[in-house]
Amino acid sequence: MSSTSFTAPQGKYRPFDIVDLPDRQWPGKRIEKAPIWASVDLRDGNQSLVDPMDGERKWRFFELLVSMGFKQIEVGFPSASQTDYDFLRDLIDNQRVPDDVTLQVLTPAREPLIRRTLEALKGANRAIVHLYNATSPLFRDTVLNLDKSACKELAVTHARLVRELMDEQPDTQWTFQYSPEHFTTTELEYSLEVCEAVLDAWGATSATPVILNLPATVEVATPNVYADQIEWFCRHLSERQRAIVSLHPHNDRGTGIAAAELGVMAGADRIEGTLFGNGERTGNVDLITLAMNLYIQGVDPRLDVSNLTPVMREVEHCNQLPVHPRHPYVGDLVFTAFSGSHQDAIKKGMNQRQALVEQGESPLWNVPYLPVDPMDVGRNYEAVIRVNSQSGKGGISYLLEQDHGISLPRRLAIEFSQVVQRAADETGREITSEMIHRSFLEEYCLDTPYRLVSQRIEEDGEQVSIAAQVVTPKGELTLNGKGNGPLSALIDGLNQQGFDVDVIDYQESSRGRGAEAEAVAFVELRAAGKSVFGVGIHFNTTTATLVAALAAISRVSEARPQKAEMA
């Protein structure tokens, strides 16, 4: 493929403006409580779908949001969609809305659509009417053909109309919300002027505050600029207590999460977004990621995030869109490590934590490469480590220990990893835990040409004698030997028959519990001038050790007798 040079077009795009705020305070702030969450999945998210949700899917999504703890849910655009209108009426007429949940609906600043919206809300217990009009120079000049004065009057007139229509339905607990759409590309002074006028027109007080929603309708700058805009707005807003400052970030530049977090640090009280970030263009801000970012800092997100996989599957069904397997906190592969160095670090971190727990401590979660305990979001540890050609000894050892109860000594782990690595390189595919287990048994335990038939062990003080019957490739052999233990006695018996072996290391562990527990013995021998491992598994510890030694002998042909033929 030939290389080509690329030059950014000069004069076609302009850099974003920055805010003159030299004494900005947000960089030194920390988020210490959850914002007010408002889901817009059923309106903003739904409008972005190729196939919008029908009534059944909308109802399932609504139930999901309620079960997670959302108290403000934007359910649709009833003046523009008959499906949304009917869904809203179904919720109200059939009393399907919990008492502590507020329905939110969206309407543009147009009188017929506002009247239709308030009509759709008749009988609601609690409702937020979200009014918007575009305020940026681009929309004032190109789309609306309005000057600043007329654009502000458009917002003020329709805010008054909303208030009048609300007064006609006194049994509903009303909240008014206003969005200067395209806030991030509107002059800050002008945005403030319009919002102040709307607060006055609606009659906002500290007892009946208005939600002022400041959307990044299209994300056009770095997140710090959005934070500056929010802090500037909050600091210059007169009677700040009359407003609940809300954010509605989009993700055009891929920084919606950061913009939302910095915006909260800058003074915002509330965030509108969607589960997993579905929305127009590159999406809305992802509320699950925001909530989990709080969770891993020890801040209660005030949403139920304890079982996120079913949440993800339900959203995938309702949206008919897949969630990426590497999506933060929830993706199918997000807690999975294939890299050998990652696996080794995770294994050590998990082992250290388990040791502290067994000592009765409750340590902070501090495991390399895992910012959150998978168990906290409804996942388990089974898929934390998976093996392919990029993996190393740490992952292989972890899977054998976690899934099969076999805890490898370090040198054996290094050796066996090379066996698995060859298989992974040859196939080019993932090596499953069961494949690793089977390969391990075949390499070190099964079908060995030297096998123990029986043994008789006697102790005389510190000396142990053994008489063992062993199957060899040339028939059965009786071994008689002495040593300071059964293993050294067996090795003595082998060497008396012309073998050339001695013990380098011996370790044992157990797998299973109670009556079903098995001993797992690892024997490392020096045979014919090199190190060789064997493994034995048996309910009897001594038998497992002897079986392991013979398995090691079986793996080195040069260890066969040099002095005499076996009888």
Side-chain angles (χ1 to χ4, degrees):
M1 184 173 64
S2 62
S3 62
T4 59
S5 60
F6 173 79
T7 302
Q10 300 297 315
K12 187 173 183 178
Y13 301 99
R14 68 181 182 88
F16 52 78
D17 296 326
I18 61 174
V19 180
D20 184 16
L21 195 66
D23 61 339
R24 57 182 59 83
Q25 300 298 305
W26 63 262
K29 299 292 181 63
R30 176 185 294 160
I31 303 175
E32 296 181 338
K33 67 175 182 178
I36 301 167
W37 303 112
S39 162
V40 295
D41 289 272
L42 297 175
R43 196 277 304 170
D44 203 341
N46 190 45
Q47 287 179 303
S48 70
L49 299 177
V50 175
D51 298 310
M53 288 180 271
D54 57 17
E56 185 269 340
R57 280 156 59 198
K58 290 195 80 166
W59 169 242
R60 286 179 61 166
F61 212 133
F62 181 81
E63 282 193 308
L64 173 66
L65 293 168
V66 169
S67 70
M68 293 185 68
F70 283 93
K71 304 303 181 186
Q72 297 182 6
I73 303 174
E74 191 168 82
V75 294
F77 205 149
S79 64
S81 165
Q82 188 62 43
T83 300
D84 285 4
Y85 186 99
D86 293 341
F87 177 66
L88 179 57
R89 289 313 315 165
D90 177 59
L91 291 175
I92 296 170
D93 293 339
N94 293 298
Q95 299 181 338
R96 302 177 83 170
V97 183
D99 292 339
D100 61 347
V101 172
T102 301
L103 301 178
Q104 178 173 311
V105 292
L106 182 71
T107 179
R110 293 173 57 188
E111 182 173 346
L113 300 184
I114 290 172
R115 291 187 179 276
R116 175 75 166 165
T117 299
L118 270 293
E119 174 188 300
L121 284 167
K122 284 183 179 178
N125 293 326
R126 305 157 64 98
I128 297 170
V129 178
H130 182 184
L131 176 74
Y132 73 94
N133 67 293
T135 56
S136 69
L138 177 63
F139 273 73
R140 293 197 310 262
D141 299 339
T142 305
V143 180
L144 302 175
N145 194 26
L146 296 174
D147 61 18
K148 285 185 174 180
S149 178
C151 186
K152 180 175 71 172
E153 186 57 30
L154 182 71
V156 167
T157 299
H158 291 91
R160 291 196 183 107
L161 175 60
V162 171
R163 179 63 184 267
E164 292 171 7
L165 296 175
M166 286 178 174
D167 289 342
E168 294 175 6
Q169 300 183 46
D171 292 336
T172 297
Q173 182 178 330
W174 295 104
T175 300
F176 178 56
Q177 175 172 328
Y178 173 69
S179 287
E181 192 182 11
H182 297 277
F183 164 79
T184 51
T185 52
T186 301
E187 308 92 332
L188 275 174
E189 294 81 359
Y190 181 65
S191 293
L192 180 67
E193 180 183 335
V194 174
C195 288
E196 293 273 20
V198 167
L199 291 177
D200 292 339
W202 198 84
T205 68
S206 59
T208 57
V210 164
I211 299 171
L212 291 179
N213 191 53
L214 307 178
T217 310
V218 178
E219 191 177 41
V220 296
T222 50
N224 62 297
V225 174
Y226 188 50
D228 281 348
Q229 291 173 321
I230 301 303
E231 181 171 333
W232 186 97
F233 187 93
C234 291
R235 286 166 61 173
H236 288 81
L237 185 64
S238 64
E239 299 182 78
R240 173 68 173 82
Q241 69 275 13
R242 292 198 302 166
I244 297 168
V245 175
S246 176
L247 309 178
H248 187 113
H250 279 252
N251 196 44
D252 299 86
R253 292 171 56 98
T255 57
I257 293 291
E261 291 180 327
L262 299 189
V264 170
M265 290 161 60
D269 310 299
R270 178 180 185 267
I271 296 179
E272 293 187 346
T274 60
L275 302 188
F276 311 119
N278 172 54
E280 294 177 359
R281 304 180 307 280
T282 59
N284 286 47
V285 72
D286 177 355
L287 298 183
I288 293 295
T289 299
L290 285 172
M292 286 305 304
N293 285 354
L294 291 177
Y295 183 90
I296 66 171
Q297 297 299 311
V299 177
D300 181 0
R302 302 186 70 181
L303 292 175
D304 185 353
V305 293
S306 62
N307 201 6
L308 289 179
T309 298
V311 171
M312 177 177 64
R313 300 302 179 216
E314 186 73 348
V315 172
E316 288 179 324
H317 167 78
C318 292
N319 284 341
Q320 298 294 290
L321 289 174
V323 173
H324 195 280
R326 291 293 184 185
H327 191 287
Y329 300 109
V330 297
D332 288 335
L333 295 178
V334 75
F335 293 117
T336 299
F338 290 101
S339 162
S341 61
H342 288 204
Q343 293 174 346
D344 187 59
I346 290 171
K347 179 178 182 292
K348 290 175 179 175
M350 297 286 275
N351 289 344
Q352 182 184 68
R353 178 176 175 79
Q354 182 60 35
L356 292 172
V357 171
E358 290 174 357
Q359 293 170 17
E361 299 184 29
S362 299
L364 288 172
W365 179 258
N366 194 27
V367 175
Y369 298 111
L370 293 180
V372 64
D373 186 348
M375 300 287 282
D376 287 357
V377 294
R379 301 280 282 272
N380 54 40
Y381 299 136
E382 289 181 4
V384 167
I385 287 178
R386 290 162 60 178
V387 172
N388 62 16
S389 61
Q390 303 299 305
S391 305
K393 69 182 187 311
I396 295 165
S397 299
Y398 178 89
L399 290 176
L400 279 175
E401 183 172 354
Q402 292 297 312
D403 297 349
H404 307 288
I406 300 173
S407 180
L408 298 184
R410 175 176 170 76
R411 287 195 297 274
L412 178 55
I414 294 172
E415 179 184 300
F416 180 56
S417 69
Q418 297 170 0
V419 175
V420 178
Q421 184 77 37
R422 286 195 295 271
D425 287 338
E426 289 170 2
T427 63
R429 301 175 61 186
E430 179 183 355
I431 305 298
T432 67
S433 172
E434 188 52 48
M435 292 166 65
I436 292 171
H437 183 227
R438 184 172 64 251
S439 177
F440 177 79
L441 296 180
E442 290 173 352
E443 182 72 22
Y444 297 103
C445 300
L446 301 179
D447 299 326
T448 59
Y450 293 85
R451 300 188 304 278
L452 182 69
V453 176
S454 64
Q455 80 270 11
R456 186 178 72 255
I457 297 173
E458 297 179 356
E459 296 185 18
D460 183 11
E462 296 183 355
Q463 190 174 65
V464 173
S465 299
I466 189 170
Q469 200 71 18
V470 176
V471 172
T472 78
K474 295 185 178 182
E476 288 196 8
L477 174 68
T478 300
L479 300 177
N480 293 286
K482 296 181 179 181
N484 58 10
L487 176 59
S488 63
L490 179 71
I491 297 301
D492 178 56
L494 286 166
N495 288 333
Q496 288 185 41
Q497 294 294 325
F499 287 79
D500 179 20
V501 294
D502 57 59
V503 177
I504 296 174
D505 190 27
Y506 158 71
Q507 295 184 39
E508 66 178 49
S509 63
S510 63
R511 65 175 184 175
R513 294 185 177 181
E516 300 299 318
E518 292 180 304
V520 183
F522 308 95
V523 172
E524 183 182 7
L525 301 181
R526 183 200 55 77
K530 62 183 178 181
S531 166
V532 60
F533 282 96
V535 178
I537 302 174
H538 199 274
F539 291 107
N540 180 276
T541 301
T542 298
T543 301
T545 303
L546 301 179
V547 167
L550 294 172
I553 294 291
S554 298
R555 299 182 64 236
V556 182
S557 59
E558 294 89 339
R560 288 181 296 182
Q562 303 298 316
K563 298 179 181 178
E565 292 293 328
M566 293 187 190

